[in-house]
Amino acid sequence: MSIRQNLKKQALGVSQKAMEKLLADEKRAMAFAQALGSVQRGKQALDRGQEELMRALSFATRSDFKTVGKKLSGLKRRLRELDERLEEIARE
């Protein structure tokens, strides 16, 4: 095992033990879960605000890029299928 892998394994072990100790107490675990939920809700609100701002400024949003990416993937797949069919026809 390399030094890097060994250090990574040790770091993960230490962080796991720290989380176990942190979450061992039910009150702390509940407080941690509530804090994490608040952070997630805050991120969602920030993302919504960012998307609204981008739309107001007529810029492409993250969801627009995802939609275009999916369409491009579909087109690439369809192009490969058509190319394969053309090769089959050319062989006949």
Side-chain angles (χ1 to χ4, degrees):
M1 182 179 291
S2 71
I3 293 174
R4 180 179 177 206
Q5 290 173 330
N6 192 22
L7 286 174
K8 184 177 178 181
K9 184 178 178 182
Q10 287 178 358
L12 287 173
V14 168
S15 65
Q16 182 180 0
K17 287 179 184 177
M19 286 302 291
E20 286 174 2
K21 285 184 180 182
L22 175 69
L23 300 178
D25 180 34
E26 190 174 326
K27 287 182 181 180
R28 274 190 281 175
M30 290 298 292
F32 183 78
Q34 288 175 348
L36 187 59
S38 295
V39 168
Q40 289 173 337
R41 287 188 299 278
K43 184 182 181 324
Q44 289 171 348
L46 179 66
D47 288 345
R48 281 192 305 272
Q50 181 182 20
E51 187 151 327
E52 289 175 15
L53 177 63
M54 297 296 278
R55 287 198 191 285
L57 296 173
S58 298
F59 290 139
T61 63
R62 181 179 298 156
S63 60
D64 293 337
F65 279 106
K66 284 182 181 180
T67 301
V68 170
K70 287 180 182 180
K71 287 182 181 181
L72 282 175
S73 294
L75 287 172
K76 285 168 62 176
R77 183 177 12 86
R78 181 73 176 132
L79 182 61
R80 280 192 301 269
E81 291 170 0
L82 289 173
D83 190 41
E84 289 171 3
R85 288 189 69 197
L86 283 174
E87 286 180 12
E88 289 175 12
I89 292 171
R91 282 187 233 132
E92 293 176 0

